[in-house]
Amino acid sequence: MDTTLKISKIKDGTVIDHIPSGKALKVLAILGIDNSNSISIGIHVMSGKLKFKDVIKIENKYLEKLELDKIALIAHEATISIIKNYEIIEKFTLDMPDKFKGIVKCANQNCITNSGEPIKSEFKTVSVEPLTIKCIYCRKEMEGEEIINNI
Ligand SMILES: [Zn+2]
């Protein structure tokens, strides 16, 4: 069954597919999409593997590396399709970066990155499933909601 037919096609833009069900709105929130983009969202869509997923289509927008890294923090299972003139010209899965710089705020209030010094936060990926990242300065480990709430 080809579930991609259920969601209306876009002419140019980006499709973020196979987002774990329930996470689409979080993905949109961290991307900071504003009113200048036309967006379609499918929430709790039946996926081919008898699972449910979320799908986001954003017209006239192509994602940058920083945005892809942010999505990886929330939904690393997602696939990205680049659409031009109704055709998929590129499709890829997200790479889990081995480090995240300046994206996540360290949850440790005493961390030097929260001290007002001009030091960007930096985390190393410790494990992918479940995603755990570790601050290179104070060694605080963060996962799940704690990461999402600090993006
Ligand atoms: Zn820290």
Side-chain angles (χ1 to χ4, degrees):
M1 184 173 73
D2 184 0
T3 53
T4 57
L5 293 174
K6 277 190 187 173
I7 299 144
S8 64
K9 290 197 167 190
I10 57 174
K11 183 169 183 281
D12 298 293
T14 303
V15 177
I16 310 168
D17 200 355
H18 299 287
I19 301 167
S21 193
K23 289 192 170 169
L25 296 178
K26 282 177 181 162
V27 171
L28 276 181
I30 56 113
L31 288 178
I33 302 292
D34 59 27
N35 296 331
S36 59
N37 299 98
S38 174
I39 298 163
S40 334
I41 309 173
I43 289 178
H44 209 61
V45 178
M46 180 71 110
S47 170
K49 302 163 208 153
L50 292 175
K51 291 197 312 189
F52 292 97
K53 64 173 185 181
D54 290 354
V55 186
I56 300 173
K57 298 193 171 195
I58 311 168
E59 283 186 61
N60 302 315
K61 181 174 176 68
Y62 300 101
L63 300 171
E64 289 163 18
K65 170 86 172 85
L66 179 67
E67 294 171 311
L68 295 172
D69 286 356
K70 286 183 180 178
I71 298 170
L73 285 167
I74 294 176
H76 67 86
E77 305 91 332
T79 58
I80 310 290
S81 299
I82 311 293
I83 315 290
K84 286 208 170 138
N85 205 17
Y86 299 106
E87 300 285 337
I88 297 172
I89 60 155
E90 197 185 343
K91 186 170 185 170
F92 55 92
T93 53
L94 291 169
D95 288 325
M96 180 58 74
D98 45 11
K99 61 180 180 183
F100 295 92
K101 200 168 182 177
I103 297 177
V104 182
K105 188 177 173 299
C106 186
N108 172 11
Q109 293 308 314
N110 297 320
C111 180
I112 190 160
T113 60
N114 289 324
S115 68
E117 299 287 328
I119 297 169
K120 275 193 175 179
S121 71
E122 189 168 342
F123 289 84
K124 278 185 121 128
T125 303
V126 178
S127 83
V128 173
E129 196 63 64
L131 178 62
T132 308
I133 60 175
K134 186 179 197 172
C135 177
I136 66 160
Y137 296 103
C138 71
R139 312 188 75 73
K140 160 88 178 155
E141 290 197 359
M142 292 166 63
E143 58 177 65
E145 290 292 312
E146 195 170 37
I147 296 173
I148 292 168
N149 292 337
N150 283 287
I151 295 174

